[in-house]
């Protein structure tokens, strides 16, 4: 089970500048779904996502802005790229109809069948996404599965690869519309990249202000954008009404056979039309299933289909339009309004990916896949409104490097898609485990559903692998580095935790010893943070050994992340009384929440445990870790793990502990 993944080591409260590494016994943040008894409040906990308080139409419009932003910008370049790779000598009419047929059926099979009709039913207490599915399947298996764990971190790592490419290709795709702008005569080519850079820098700079207000505009703007897509397509369909037959699958099949191996390559470009489909699943918890499903089936899919048909009809009527079919569709009188709308739509698509990267980071930290990192809340009322400064900076640098290195969507799209197809394959593999162990389907039933979907994933992934020499190696390299970091963190924390348990004293044994030989007592309350409440915290042992005192009240505090997205306030705290001197307090959080100790401890008053937090000392165990050749990891990996620990956010900031109330005590260990 995911609960068997190692607890996250916590950084020194004095900060990374001291050079002290983190301690494994500080606070447990692995997904402890197996640590919660079946039927308990924690196991059943699920927070409200606010679906009931908002009208269906408000949620539907909101989902169009956030969920469909990425897939809604694909018409800017998908058709152009697919036609560009068509083999010379292929019948022009067959090429256009074949590409449209492939695009339409990709939208039907990948987005509609796989995500909208199937995967959105595989939710974890209303939440979707690779890590949510991983936590759910680990819990259903009843034991820790290295395979499921590895698939989960691969899916998360691939998402970051997509997160760097999407803003660059989306915004650049819109700004490239200046090439065909009336009255400019193609004189602005040299300004396209700088203008795109300015837009992207501004987008990343406003992240720290919060996106709540801006997000309110996302839905209406994107609705207008899709109406524009559908309207332009419908207008040009009459150029060649016969284009409607392209919706029949035989045209796509005939086109693939006519192009031979090149047809397989073209599938990589066709896949550009469905990038962003995974957002349907990942953002499900924000809007609910029905608003997203109905928005797709009755609005987004028809608008996209009309636009691709319109691009095809225009290209058949004017073969030169294949160079940039989308912008050739736009009438001169409407060019600048459409250009402005396209730019806003690409910014919205980029915002959705950036927000998704923040969310994945938060989940990764809570599930013990990543070191603690500074996560700031930008809204007191919306749980999903967070800002992660380090991730924001890394994404901005990565996006700008790609923008100035590749300088055109023609070159950027060569690497686009590989990360998304990889993430989709991970979703499919985890979905098989879900069917077998959550829904209890028989093997043949699960294969009957997964096999065709999985085959489609493999075909698209294979076609995108052919782009590796043109740049697709970059997102794969980035994902590989992130997988290495996550595996190193997981293995290192597991090793450190096991060593801690071997060297620690059972808490109940310590309580018995203190009864026989009472230490000097001092007034006040001491809270000892620990990852395992059954063992005496390192900070407690050192306080007794070196200071030779014991506080009047002692609380053994453990923070657990359980296998649900969010935990309601009435299920947050559990208290176990050991004796008059010691109490165990457990704070339960979901993997989409950020811990706030003072706020959670305030709930203890309702349970009869009263103390003044500003008159309480927090004792944090700190271990200075040194590498060892016998740790089970190579020496270089030990050093990477120690580097990650040194640069993790200190627990004072991460858990919002009053800085003046923290006391650090620790020792040196090898890992």
């Amino acid at each position: 089970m995911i609960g068997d993944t190692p607890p996250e080591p916590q950084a020194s409260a004095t900060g990374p500048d001291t050079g002290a590494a983190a301690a494994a016994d500080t606070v447990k943040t692995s997904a402890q779904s197996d640590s919660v008894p079946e039927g308990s409040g924690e196991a059943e906990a699920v927070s409200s996502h606010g679906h009931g308080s908002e009208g269906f139409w408000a949620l539907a419009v909101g989902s169009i802005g956030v969920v469909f932003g990425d897939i809604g910008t694909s018409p800017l370049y998908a058709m152009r790229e697919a036609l560009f790779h068509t083999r010379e000598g292929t019948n022009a009419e067959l090429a256009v109809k074949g590409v449209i047929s492939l695009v339409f059926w990709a939208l039907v099979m990948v987005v509609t069948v796989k995500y909208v009709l199937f995967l959105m039913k595989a939710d974890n207490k209303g939440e979707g996404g690779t890590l949510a599915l991983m936590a759910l399947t680990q819990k259903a298996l009843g034991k820790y599965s290295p395979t499921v764990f590895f698939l989960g971190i691969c899916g998360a790592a691939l998402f970051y690869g997509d997160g760097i490419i999407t803003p660059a290709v989306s915004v650049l795709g819109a700004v490239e519309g200046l090439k065909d702008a009336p009255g400019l005569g193609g004189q602005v080519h040299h300004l396209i990249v700088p203008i795109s850079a300015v837009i992207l820098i501004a987008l990343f700079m406003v992240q720290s202000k919060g996106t709540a207000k801006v997000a309110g505009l996302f839905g209406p703007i994107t609705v207008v954008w899709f109406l524009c897509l559908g309207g332009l397509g419908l207008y040009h369909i009459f150029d060649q009404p016969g284009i409607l037959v392209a919706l029949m699958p035989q045209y796509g099949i005939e086109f693939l056979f006519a192009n031979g191996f090149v047809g397989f390559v073209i599938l990589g470009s066709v896949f550009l039309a469905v990038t962003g489909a995974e957002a349907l699943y990942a953002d499900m918890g924000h809007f609910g299933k029905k608003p997203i499903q109905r928005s797709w089936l009755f609005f987004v899919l028809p608008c996209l289909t009309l636009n691709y048909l319109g691009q095809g009809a225009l290209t058949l009527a004017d073969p030169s339009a294949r160079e940039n079919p989308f912008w050739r569709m736009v009438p001169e009188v409407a060019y600048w309004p459409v250009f402005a709308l396209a730019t806003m739509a690409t910014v919205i698509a980029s915002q959705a990916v950036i927000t998704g990267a923040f969310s994945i980071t938060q989940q990764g930290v809570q599930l013990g896949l990543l070191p603690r990192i500074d996560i700031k809340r930008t809204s007191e009322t919306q749980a999903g409104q967070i800002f992660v400064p380090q991730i924001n900076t890394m994404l901005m640098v990565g996006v700008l490097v790609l923008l100035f290195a590749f300088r055109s969507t023609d070159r950027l799209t060569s690497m686009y898609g590989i990360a998304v197809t990889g993430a989709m394959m991970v979703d499919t593999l985890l979905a098989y485990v879900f069917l077998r162990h959550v829904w209890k389907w028989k093997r043949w039933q699960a294969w009957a559903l997964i096999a065709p979907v999985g085959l489609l994933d493999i075909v698209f992934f294979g076609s995108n692998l052919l782009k590796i020499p043109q740049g697709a190696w970059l997102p794969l390299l980035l994902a590989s580095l992130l997988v290495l970091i996550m595996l190193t963190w997981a293995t290192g924390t597991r090793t450190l935790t096991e060593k801690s348990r071997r060297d620690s004293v059972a808490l109940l044994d310590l309580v018995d010893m203190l009864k026989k030989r009472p230490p000097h007592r001092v007034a006040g309350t001491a809270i000892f943070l620990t990852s395992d409440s059954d063992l005496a915290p390192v900070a407690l042992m050192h306080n007794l050994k070196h200071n030779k005192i014991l506080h009047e009240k002692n609380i053994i505090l453990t923070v657990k992340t359980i296998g649900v997205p969010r935990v309601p306030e009435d299920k947050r705290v559990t208290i176990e009384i050991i004796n008059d001197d010691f109490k165990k307090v457990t704070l339960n959080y979901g993997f989409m929440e950020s811990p706030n100790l003072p706020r959670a401890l305030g709930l203890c008053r309702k349970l009869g445990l009263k103390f003044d937090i500003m008159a309480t000392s927090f004792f944090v165990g700190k271990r200075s870790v040194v590498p060892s050749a016998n740790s089970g990891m190579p020496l270089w990996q030990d050093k990477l793990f120690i580097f990650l620990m040194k640069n993790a956010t200190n627990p004072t900031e991460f858990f919002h502990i009053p800085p003046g109330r923290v006391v650090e005590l620790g020792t040196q260990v090898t890992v």
Side-chain angles (χ1 to χ4, degrees):
M1 291 185 67
I2 191 109
D4 295 317
T5 57
E8 177 193 350
Q10 302 302 328
S12 160
T14 57
D17 57 321
T18 64
D25 70 326
T26 306
V27 177
K28 192 172 196 173
T29 57
S30 61
Q32 293 288 344
S33 54
D34 61 331
S35 65
V36 183
E38 286 299 322
S40 72
E42 291 80 16
E44 297 169 356
V46 58
S47 67
S48 169
H49 299 285
H51 301 158
S53 61
E54 297 185 61
F56 172 83
W57 292 110
L59 289 170
V61 171
S63 72
I64 291 171
V66 175
V67 175
F68 301 109
D70 190 3
I71 202 170
T73 59
S74 296
L76 290 169
Y77 46 77
M79 185 80 174
R80 181 192 68 204
E81 291 302 311
L83 290 174
F84 174 78
H85 290 97
T86 303
R87 189 169 66 181
E88 285 188 31
T90 303
N91 180 279
E93 183 177 352
L94 176 61
V96 173
K97 291 182 178 179
V99 167
I100 291 176
S101 179
L102 291 173
V103 167
F104 174 72
W105 286 102
L107 291 171
V108 169
M109 294 301 298
V110 175
V111 185
T112 307
V113 174
K114 179 180 176 180
Y115 281 97
V116 173
L117 299 181
F118 167 52
L119 272 179
M120 289 190 71
K121 295 181 180 179
D123 65 295
N124 188 343
K125 303 294 184 182
E127 292 289 347
T130 302
L131 291 181
L133 187 59
M134 180 192 75
L136 185 63
T137 52
Q138 286 276 32
K139 183 177 180 180
L141 285 171
K143 61 180 180 180
Y144 170 65
S145 169
T147 301
V148 171
F149 179 72
F150 182 73
L151 286 174
I153 64 175
C154 285
L158 287 165
F159 184 89
Y160 286 107
D162 178 43
I164 286 182
I165 301 172
T166 295
V169 73
S170 297
V171 172
L172 188 58
V175 179
E176 281 182 343
L178 291 173
K179 294 179 181 178
D180 295 309
L184 295 182
Q187 300 175 7
V188 293
H189 283 66
H190 63 287
L191 295 177
I192 290 175
V193 172
I195 291 174
S196 300
V198 170
I199 294 172
L200 288 166
I201 291 173
L203 174 63
F204 283 103
M205 293 296 288
V206 301
Q207 295 302 311
S208 61
K209 307 299 181 182
T211 58
K213 295 181 179 179
V214 182
L217 301 174
F218 283 4
I221 291 174
T222 312
V223 166
V224 174
W225 170 247
F226 277 110
L227 289 173
C228 177
L229 290 178
L232 287 172
L234 184 62
Y235 175 76
H236 282 283
I237 284 176
F238 293 99
D239 294 348
Q240 287 285 337
I243 195 67
L244 293 173
V245 300
L247 298 181
M248 300 174 67
Q250 61 261 38
Y251 284 96
I253 297 171
E254 184 180 349
F255 171 70
L256 290 177
F257 279 110
N259 279 270
F261 180 74
V262 176
F264 186 66
V265 177
I266 291 171
L267 286 175
S269 299
V270 169
F271 187 79
L272 295 173
V274 299
T275 53
E278 72 281 7
L280 288 164
Y281 187 41
D283 291 322
M284 179 171 58
H286 294 288
F287 303 99
K289 299 176 188 178
K290 289 185 178 180
I292 294 177
Q293 289 172 331
R294 294 181 184 178
S295 294
W296 170 257
L297 292 171
F298 301 111
F299 182 69
V300 177
L301 178 59
C303 289
L304 289 174
T305 303
L306 285 173
N307 190 264
Y308 286 117
L309 286 171
Q311 290 190 44
L314 175 63
T315 305
L316 288 180
D318 179 11
S320 66
R322 66 185 294 161
E323 296 177 4
N324 204 347
F326 177 82
W327 289 109
R328 293 290 185 89
M329 294 174 70
V330 183
E332 184 173 331
V333 67
Y335 200 91
W336 291 110
V338 173
F339 176 81
L341 190 59
T343 303
M344 287 188 288
T346 55
V347 168
I348 291 170
S350 303
Q351 176 64 62
V353 173
I354 295 168
T355 303
F358 293 164
S359 180
I360 287 288
T361 301
Q362 182 186 39
Q363 293 180 46
V365 170
Q366 286 295 83
L367 291 172
L369 305 178
L370 292 169
R372 254 189 345 267
I373 193 170
D374 185 23
I375 298 174
K376 300 181 183 296
R377 293 200 173 275
T378 58
S379 172
E380 290 298 322
T381 58
Q382 299 185 42
Q385 294 290 332
I386 60 174
F387 170 62
V388 187
Q390 294 93 326
I391 297 299
N392 190 65
T393 301
M394 287 189 288
L395 285 177
M396 181 174 69
V397 171
V399 167
L400 293 176
V401 167
L402 288 183
L403 180 66
F404 285 99
F406 289 85
R407 305 186 70 83
S408 72
T409 52
D410 293 341
R411 299 176 64 188
L412 278 172
T413 52
S414 64
M415 69 172 66
Y416 199 31
I418 188 73
V420 182
T421 52
M424 287 183 175
M425 285 184 64
V426 169
D427 287 343
T428 301
L429 293 171
L430 290 175
Y432 175 78
V433 182
F434 176 88
L435 290 175
R436 294 279 292 126
H437 297 278
V438 179
W439 284 358
K440 305 297 183 182
W441 282 22
K442 295 179 180 178
R443 193 183 301 273
W444 69 267
Q445 292 174 316
W447 274 109
L449 177 60
I450 294 299
V453 174
L455 180 61
L456 195 60
D457 286 336
I458 291 172
V459 170
F460 277 126
F461 185 71
S463 64
N464 278 281
L465 283 177
L466 299 174
K467 299 179 180 180
I468 287 179
Q470 286 75 44
W473 56 269
L474 186 59
L476 289 179
L477 176 62
L478 175 63
S480 299
L481 291 174
L482 289 169
V483 167
L484 174 63
I485 288 173
M486 292 182 194
L487 285 177
T488 299
W489 186 254
T491 306
T493 50
R494 187 190 301 275
T495 301
L496 202 56
T497 300
E498 290 173 352
K499 185 174 181 64
S500 171
R501 288 170 179 165
R502 288 196 303 267
D503 299 340
S504 298
V505 177
L507 180 61
L508 293 180
D509 291 342
L510 176 65
V511 170
D512 291 337
M513 287 188 285
L514 292 176
K515 287 181 179 178
K516 297 176 182 177
R517 300 179 59 184
H520 178 69
R521 305 299 294 270
V522 294
T525 300
I527 296 180
F528 297 91
L529 281 69
T530 179
S531 63
D532 191 335
S533 59
D534 293 329
L535 302 177
V538 168
L540 173 59
M541 297 299 294
H542 281 277
N543 194 41
L544 290 168
K545 180 179 179 181
H546 298 290
N547 298 328
K548 304 183 186 305
I549 60 171
L550 183 67
H551 282 71
E552 181 184 6
K553 297 178 181 178
N554 298 274
I555 296 174
I556 309 302
L557 178 64
T558 304
V559 177
K560 292 183 179 179
T561 301
I562 60 178
V564 296
R566 294 183 177 86
V567 176
E569 293 292 283
D570 60 338
K571 305 294 183 183
R572 179 79 67 205
V573 181
T574 57
I575 299 175
E576 178 185 346
I577 299 176
I578 300 176
N579 60 18
D580 293 338
D581 298 330
F582 287 92
K583 295 180 177 64
K584 290 183 183 180
V585 174
T586 302
L587 304 181
N588 298 296
Y589 286 90
F591 56 79
M592 296 191 73
E593 296 180 293
S594 296
N596 186 312
L597 263 59
R599 182 180 298 173
L601 290 173
L603 300 173
C604 293
R605 295 179 178 277
K606 299 178 181 179
L607 301 175
L609 183 61
K610 298 180 180 180
F611 56 90
D612 182 2
I613 196 168
M614 296 309 296
T616 299
S617 297
F618 289 82
F619 286 82
V620 178
K622 180 185 72 175
R623 283 194 175 94
S624 178
V625 184
V626 295
S628 169
N630 301 318
S631 69
M633 292 193 300
L635 191 60
W636 64 267
Q637 204 168 7
D638 287 342
K639 293 180 178 179
L640 173 60
F641 175 66
I642 293 171
F643 173 80
L644 294 173
M645 295 178 72
K646 287 181 178 179
N647 287 277
T649 302
N650 67 69
T652 304
E653 294 180 8
F654 186 78
F655 295 108
H656 304 282
I657 304 172
R661 309 308 309 169
V662 176
V663 179
E664 265 190 0
L665 294 169
T667 186
Q668 179 174 287
V669 295
T670 58
V671 64

